[in-house]
Structure formats: C-alpha cells, structure tokens
Amino acid sequence: MMRQVIHLAFHYFRKDKRQYLSFGIILLITALILHLSLVLTLRVDPAYDEKAAALHTSDVDVLIPAAMDSDRLEEGLSRLDGVTELEKQHGVMLPAVIKDFRGTDFRLNLIFYRYDASRRLNMLEVMEESGGSVRNGVYLPLYIAEFGEFPVGSEITFDCDGTLYTYTVAGVVQEMQYGNASAETMGIYLPSMPYQSLLACHPAAEAVGYSLVTEDGADNRTVLSKATGTVEDNGGTVLYSVTNESRKQSRTMVSGLLTVILAAFAAVVLLVSVFLCRFRIRNTVDEEMAQMGVLKAMGFTSRTIIAATVLPYVLTALAGSVIGAGMSYRVLPGLVDMLALQAGFRFAVGFRWDALLLTVGLLTAVTFVFTFLAAGRIRKLLPIMAIRGIAEGGNIRKNAFPMDRTPGGIEFLLMLKQMASSAKQNALLFVVLFVMTVLVVFSGNLFYNVIVKPDHFTLTLSEETPDVIFTVSAGDMAAFRKDLNSREEVTKVLAYAVQRGVKVNDENVTAFVCEDFSQTRNDLCYEGRNPENPMEAAVGSAVAQASGIKIGDTVEVSDGDATASFRVVGLVQSVNCQGEICELTDGGFSRLSEDTGSRSLYVYLKDSDGGDNLIRQAETAYPDEIVSSVNYARTRSEAQGLYAVVVNAVILVIFLVTGLIVLLILFVIIKSIIVQRRQEFGIYKAIGYSGRQLVMQLAGSLMPVSIAAVMSSALLGLVYVPTMNRAIFGMIGAMKNHMQVPAGVLLVFASAEIAGTFFISLLLAGPVRKTEAYSLIKE
C-alpha cells in the first residue's frame, strides 16, 4: 500500500508541481513570520532575566537625598521582610538636557555615579572602551550612546540647571538598573575626578540609592511600598523608586508589541494557506474524478487515494516551514539589533529547536488536518459515476446569464458567464482578498497616522507635548510669562510640572501638575475627566487596577510627610510611566507642598518651527529666570522621523507579502480556470476572438469578486481597525489612542490593491493569448 501511495502522490506532484510550489512559498512566508514571533517570545524575556542575573541587578531601587540618609534607615531597610541583600551607592541626581541628541535637545532625569565605585549589585558591563586614558571622560549607557549617536571618542554636553558640562565619551556600558528613556531616568558614569567636580558644583543634588535584592517569590511592589514607608518613617523623601518588573516591562515593551503583530500577521497568512490547500484538494478531486474512479475500479481503496492526495501537501508544508524557519535567521540579527537599541541591552539569539519544532509542527499539522478533511469527499465517489465525471449529487449547472435573455454586449455576457461558472475559484479569491485587505487597510491606517499625521501616533505614546519647555528658577516668573503671552507667535503658556516621589494610597506614582488641564494639547484621560479644582485628582491605569480605584472613590495622596484626600474624577494613561501616575491641579498640589510644582512653562506656538528663535530671544532677555530650555517640537520631530523609518519598513513588507500572496493565489485560480475551460477558450479562438479579448475576459471575470472582497473589507475597516488599535496599544498601557481611521485613506489603499490585482490577473492570463486554438481544444 505504501508503494501505491508514494507512486500516486508523485504522479499528482509532477502533474501540478507549480501549484504545489506556490503553496510552499505561502507556507514559507508563514513559517518565517511565525518563527520570528516564536523566537522573540521564547528569547527576549529569558535574555533580560539572564543579563539581569549576570550583572546582579537589584529587585527594588529607592533613591533619596543624601542629607536624609542615616544608619538607622539603612538598618531598617535591610531588615524588611523579603529583603536578602542591600547595597547603597552615592550619586548626583539632576534634571538635565543632553545637547545634540540625534540633532536635538533631549530632556531626562540623570543620576551621575562614580564609574570606579565598588559594586556588588547593579554591576556594569563594558561594551566598548577607548584605548588610552581619556581626560574628563564619561561612560554612557548603551541606549544614550547608540540611540543618541555618541560614539566612543566623541563629546557629549549636559545642561544641568543652566550649567553646561562637556565630557569625552570614554566608553559604553551595559547596565540593567535604568536602561532606556521610557522611565525618564537614566544613569551616567563618571571617573572619580569629574564626579567630584560635578558634586562640588551641586552638593544639594547628592543622592543615595538603595538597591535591594528580594527572596524568591517575594512581591517586589509590596517590598517597595514597605521600603518607601521606612524612608518616610525616618524623615526621608523618595526621589525615585522602581521595581525590576517595571523596568522589564519598559524595556521589553516594543519587543512584546512586535511579537503580537508578527503572530497576527502569521495567522492571517496561515489562514490564506489553509483556504488555498482546501481549494486545491477539492479542485483536484474535480479534475481527477475520472482517474480516481478508474483507480477505485482497479481496487485502490479510498484511504490509499486520500493518502496520496494529502501527502504532497504535507511534504510541501514540511519543506516550506523548515526553509522558512531557517530563512528567519537571516532577518533576526537586524531585528534583534533594533529591539536591543530600544531595550538598552544586547542579547544574542541562537538557533532554537523549540521554536523550530513549534513552527514546523504547527504548520504541518494544520495543513494535514485541513487537506485530510477536504479530501474526505473522495470516499463518496462511486467508481462508475466518477468515471462518467459525476460526483455525489450530480454536476448539473444552471445556465447563468442566458445570452438570449440577458441584456448587454456579447463580451460582457461571456465575462459574466465565466464568473458564474467559476464559483469555487471566486469563493477562494473573495476570502483571500478579504483577509489580505485587512493587512493592507491596517498598514494604510498606520501610514496615515505616522507619516501623514504623525502627531496622532506621538500623542498616543507620550504625555503632554508643548513646542518649547522653559524650566525657570524658583523666583517670580510672572514677568517672563507675561512677556511670552504677549508674543505674536505664542498661542498659549501653561504652568506644568512633573513631580516624582508622590504616593497614592501608598503606591508610588509620578504626579502631573497643571493649572488647567483643559488647555493641554494631549488629554491623557480615557475615562471620566481631568481634575478641575484642588479637591479632585485623576489616577493612572496601573494605580487604579492595583488598588481597585474607581471614579468617585476617595484616595490619599502624600508628598513626604504631607497627606491630603482627593476625590477621583478620572482615569488617565501614561505609556512612559507604565500608568503609575496621577493628575493634580496647582491648587491640589499646594495642599501637599508650598511649592506648587509649576516651575516649568510649557509654550505652544502657531508655528512649531519657531522654537529655536523663541529660545534665543528668551534666554537673552531673561538669563537669570531661565534655568534650561528645550525645543520639544524638534525632539518630537526627531522621534517621529525614527517612527517613520520603522513604519515605512513595516508597510513595505506588508505590501510585498500581500502582493506575493495575491500573485500566487491568482496563479492557482487562473491556471485552474484555464485547465478546466481550455476547450471553451479554444472554441472562442476558433470563431474569431483574439487573444487580447480572451485575456481581458478572463481577468475581467475576476474583478467583480475582487472589488467586492476588497471594498467590503476596507469599509468594515472602519469598525475593526479601531478595535485592532485599541487592542495593540492597550498592551503597552495606551488605554486611549489618537489614531484616526479616515474612510478616504482606506479606500485609497483598497483601490491600489484592486488595481494591483487586475494588473497581476492580466499578466497571469497571458498564456491564453499565446496558445493556438487547436492545442487549446485538443491539449
């Protein structure tokens, strides 16, 4: 029996090797994308854990002013339940502006540490270092060095409270304590002399960082809460705190998002391949019905014929999935480099047997199941009926569009009749184009919101986005603000501040303090509303979920020793702070501190390109009031440019894959039509129809179904694209997104897909024109 199966399967494969090849290519694409997704899923999280363990990274970090440190506090932290090890490091914590960060100014909270300090925890791994000693050198974390384009030997300038510090990059280090800009706080490492010089200039900024290692199974959020409580009990103030889980989420956010998109992409292509193999099996039964009847009459069992029919597809799926998985390793290095840049740590991706077995096993199993089910109708074939070309139920077809009763030209009617007689091909084409249009529409919507209207994407991922930010001194800023408001190019000025070390119901959060949230450009509230008076607050999504806070509840907000009650009127989001935020009005924050926190002026311009000119004029007129200034519009533009590069690459890949799959599907369909109707085409040629007319008729017969599939999927995109956006961005904490879904954009991309489909159909229908009438009839 096995010999019969192999011999018969080889016959089927040799007869339709091109169509098996097209099916194999689709499976190859599916395997490549799926394998990438699986490798990232199986590797990124373990890579983070391995690197964190290798560098003895702490589980909880708490940073306090050095003036508030004491032996009693250190002893209290070391005795906390769940803490197994503790270490403290001195540093200088300053809000700073990094000059010429990818051509613009980049604002971050920086913690300057001594590079040569002894460390048991949060160790540094030198990635690159200058050959000799560097005068006034600095060691940068991987993220700043590579993303900011500061190679070893170059100079980097920090603007700290209005004082410029320029250092030469002596080396690049990999560390797991801070990592990337999502947390808005990063470590910088200075040799002893530059560090002491910086400390001498900013003695009040000296800080002490406590790093805690917890026992296995300990809840780090609980330990952090107890640690900050211990700090406050000892008269201290928390400047910065973080758990390892929060760091990990921030660093692996993009890789997780990319993994989901790749997996969804692979699922769509797999769905197409399933429909294709089902169509081909059923089409094979129709084409080979007489031969199968003869085989049954000769004694071949249904099981043998089914096995021979299914085997080529299974072997093709096996080969395609193995080759596709192997090819993914050509793509992985570049993909991993991009993810490593965002994550702030490098990791190697080697060969993964588990990912290979999952990819090959899944695709082969799915192919086997669906081809086996589709081939099941072979059991119902009766030998004598099959030899006569009649399957179960008969094959009598209705005369669709009778030419004597249907109005229209002869060529138009022939096209309609051909369309009606190819019901199975049309069903396959409709499903494939409908599904692939989902990808086209999604990429088109991404193109619109990132390339055409980049603010939509930026507002989704960021907090407030003014054009210029002025950090002013603690003195009276009324005159400076009045001058800004009087300028013609300025539309409005808001007092806005970001306050760290605040607690909501004992949960550490970052407080956004503004005089009037209704005037902000980016409304972070996704449920309820923003606070409007000193008794109201809005809390972040992570805080609300962790404490079960709902709108209308009362929460305790504390800053140091001061605590006040606020009524929750809204829920707000923050991707960069992982939802660990709250919003307070100036009056609300003044209930906690005499400092209202509004030492930053957010300036909004009529033309965002005028930021540099405004900064020059303001710094000349108010040198004492301005501590630092940032052209935030340019920073935003640089970030949008980086997003644009990535999105353009994604869109290009989606369109190439979509075009290739449509090409392969149309090849299968058109070849099937030509084989089934070769005598009919021969007759048309014999009675005078030109090859061009037959090509147009064949390609045109596919267009009504193509247009219906593409347009219906595109219009339904008005419903499913917002749902997809909410699901994707919700994974990274963006509960509310600003992505718009214009119908016109969807229709433009859909029209481009229809035009491409018609052009491909014309090319693939070309063999009809080149074949002579006699061979079409008798071949």
Side-chain angles (χ1 to χ4, degrees), residues 173-215:
V173 298
Q174 190 167 218
E175 52 77 38
M176 304 299 288
Q177 187 179 13
Y178 299 102
N180 64 10
S182 293
E184 298 185 351
T185 301
M186 298 194 69
I188 304 293
Y189 305 91
L190 296 171
S192 182
M193 290 185 63
Y195 174 81
Q196 295 297 336
S197 176
L198 180 69
L199 178 60
C201 294
H202 304 276
E206 185 178 13
V208 172
Y210 279 97
S211 299
L212 286 66
V213 176
T214 60
E215 60 188 18

Side-chain angles (χ1 to χ4, degrees), residues 133-145:
S133 61
V134 177
R135 180 179 176 83
N136 206 34
V138 63
Y139 287 80
L140 300 178
L142 183 67
Y143 179 87
I144 290 180

Side-chain angles (χ1 to χ4, degrees), residues 536-705:
E536 296 177 344
V539 299
S541 55
V543 181
Q545 292 169 8
S547 303
I549 298 172
K550 301 184 294 297
I551 294 176
D553 290 350
T554 299
V555 295
E556 299 293 320
V557 181
S558 57
D559 179 44
D561 295 330
T563 301
S565 297
F566 294 84
R567 186 171 68 89
V568 177
V569 295
L571 303 180
V572 290
Q573 70 182 31
S574 170
V575 174
N576 292 323
C577 298
Q578 292 83 51
E580 298 174 348
I581 64 170
C582 73
E583 285 185 346
L584 299 172
T585 63
D586 275 355
F589 191 79
S590 66
R591 296 173 60 200
L592 304 173
S593 172
E594 293 181 0
D595 180 3
T596 62
S598 299
R599 292 185 181 176
S600 292
L601 293 179
Y602 282 25
V603 183
Y604 303 81
L605 304 176
K606 294 178 181 177
D607 182 3
S608 59
D609 293 334
D612 283 338
N613 185 51
L614 176 64
I615 289 173
R616 282 194 301 269
Q617 295 178 7
E619 288 180 342
T620 301
Y622 298 91
D624 297 329
E625 286 83 355
I626 298 176
V627 176
S628 66
S629 55
V630 175
N631 186 339
Y632 197 81
R634 192 166 62 187
T635 302
R636 187 170 69 246
S637 177
E638 287 291 330
Q640 290 169 349
L642 294 174
Y643 294 142
V645 172
V646 175
V647 169
N648 281 332
V650 170
I651 291 173
L652 179 61
V653 169
I654 289 177
F655 269 90
L656 288 176
V657 172
T658 301
L660 179 59
I661 290 175
V662 170
L663 171 65
L664 295 173
I665 295 296
L666 286 174
F667 168 75
V668 171
I669 291 174
I670 291 176
K671 185 178 184 300
S672 173
I673 292 175
I674 291 175
V675 169
Q676 289 179 354
R677 306 175 68 85
R678 56 186 179 274
Q679 290 183 330
E680 189 175 321
F681 286 129
I683 293 171
Y684 287 150
K685 269 209 166 183
I687 64 177
Y689 280 85
S690 67
R692 179 178 176 278
Q693 288 175 310
L694 293 178
V695 168
M696 291 296 295
Q697 176 187 320
L698 178 55
S701 68
L702 300 175
M703 293 317 296
V705 174

Side-chain angles (χ1 to χ4, degrees), residues 262-301:
L262 288 174
F265 196 4
V268 169
V269 182
L270 178 59
L271 182 64
V272 169
S273 65
V274 165
F275 277 104
L276 175 61
C277 69
R278 179 178 173 81
F279 167 80
R280 282 297 305 136
I281 289 284
R282 298 181 70 86
N283 206 46
T284 298
V285 174
D286 290 338
E287 292 178 6
E288 304 286 337
M289 190 179 301
Q291 291 88 334
M292 289 180 181
V294 172
L295 290 173
K296 279 197 170 187
M298 293 172 60
F300 281 77
T301 65

Side-chain angles (χ1 to χ4, degrees), residues 22 52 72 149 271 279 300 366 419 461 474 588 638:
S22 66
R72 180 183 172 188
E149 298 177 343
L271 182 64
F279 167 80
F300 281 77
V366 168
M419 181 187 71
L461 298 182
E638 287 291 330

Side-chain angles (χ1 to χ4, degrees), residues 60 62 73 76-77 79-83 212 219-234 503 506 508:
V60 174
V62 178
L73 172 59
L77 291 173
R79 291 183 176 180
L80 289 175
D81 290 340
V83 175
L212 286 66
D219 185 347
N220 288 334
R221 287 181 66 92
T222 301
V223 174
L224 176 60
S225 180
K226 292 179 179 178
T228 55
T230 301
V231 170
E232 293 167 0
D233 291 342
N234 285 271
K503 285 190 172 186
D506 292 328
N508 292 280

